[in-house]
Amino acid sequence: GAPTMADAAADGAGKKKRVFMVMGWGQPPDGFYFNHLAAHLRDSGCAVQALPGANDGDVGKWVGELAAAVGEVDAGTYFIGQSVGNQVVLRYLGSLAEGARAGGFVAIAPWLNCDFTVSGDREGWWDGWFSDNADKLAPWCDESTQDFARVRSVCGNIACLMSDDDPVRGLDSSGEDNRRDWEGKVGARVAMQHGRGHFLHTELSAEELTVVDEALGLVAAE
């Protein structure tokens, strides 16, 4: 019969695809939609490990925790991040040796810098949260410590889920500058969603799951 998603999740050697999910700021590994997504990926034949989100500015510590979880990275290794979790993944990929290869990376509610507009039309939690955590966020926003060229060479398959009303979306209120950053610097494909905020939901939508599945090679891209 036709190959199933579980079949697609195993490479030629019969190994399961490994998916490492890194949560957003201070969140447990089962926060927001991570349980739902992890179950979906396991049903699709993937081995999934979720890690908690960073809650301080010790970039090396959090990148090191991901590196320890991954061990040896290969083309069957995939990553999914939420918010600051994407920063952990980016910096991990940028730390890998030349010639290393990862299978893919899905960045959900991603950002690259702290040049965020804080205004009254945003979700109310954002203003106070940002001011309370600005010092801890600063190291994550230092692009001089990113190696985008290495990220692009290690992982040529990066997809982003962004929302047009994400309060963490850069200076341009439409989020287009954040889109341009991820397309231009990271080499990502961006799927802009409508009205999904910072993706603090218990489930991803069917359309969003399709973006994930295509990036992980679980279904053929449209």
Side-chain angles (χ1 to χ4, degrees):
T4 65
M5 289 175 69
D7 294 331
D11 65 18
K15 290 195 308 181
K16 285 186 174 185
K17 291 184 176 181
R18 298 188 303 154
V19 184
F20 295 89
M21 300 167 49
V22 188
M23 221 335 144
W25 194 265
Q27 291 296 318
D30 60 353
F32 305 136
Y33 55 84
F34 264 35
N35 268 354
H36 179 249
L37 179 55
H40 168 79
L41 294 173
R42 290 186 180 113
D43 287 346
S44 303
C46 299
V48 181
Q49 182 174 349
L51 287 79
N55 61 2
D56 59 43
D58 189 348
V59 172
K61 175 181 74 177
W62 296 101
V63 173
E65 289 194 2
L66 176 57
V70 172
E72 189 170 341
V73 67
D74 60 24
T77 310
Y78 294 81
F79 302 89
I80 297 171
Q82 161 72 25
S83 192
V84 75
N86 297 305
Q87 287 281 345
V88 177
V89 175
L90 273 182
R91 292 163 188 278
Y92 165 73
L93 293 173
S95 75
L96 293 172
E98 187 174 357
R101 291 292 180 269
F105 169 29
V106 181
I108 302 175
W111 42 267
L112 286 185
N113 58 60
C114 284
D115 292 330
F116 302 135
T117 303
V118 179
S119 64
D121 66 344
R122 303 273 175 117
E123 297 173 39
W125 61 268
W126 170 244
D127 295 18
W129 182 89
F130 180 78
S131 57
D132 290 346
N133 291 282
D135 291 345
K136 296 177 184 177
L137 275 168
W140 295 104
C141 299
D142 182 359
E143 289 189 30
S144 72
T145 60
Q146 295 268 24
D147 189 342
F148 294 124
R150 180 60 52 85
V151 171
R152 292 193 301 269
S153 72
V154 166
C155 189
N157 171 29
I158 300 177
C160 291
L161 281 170
M162 296 182 179
S163 178
D164 57 5
D165 66 341
D166 192 333
V168 192
R169 63 176 178 252
L171 288 171
D172 177 349
S173 62
S174 70
E176 285 301 307
D177 55 349
N178 196 31
R179 175 203 283 267
R180 285 191 296 269
D181 271 353
W182 278 82
E183 289 176 339
K185 297 175 182 177
V186 184
R189 310 180 301 279
V190 174
M192 187 68 78
Q193 307 299 299
H194 176 64
R196 296 292 276 168
H198 201 49
F199 292 86
L200 309 182
H201 312 286
T202 55
E203 296 185 7
L204 296 180
S205 70
E207 180 182 345
E208 291 156 4
L209 284 175
T210 297
V211 171
V212 174
D213 288 345
E214 289 178 355
L216 272 56
L218 301 175
V219 296
E222 293 290 328

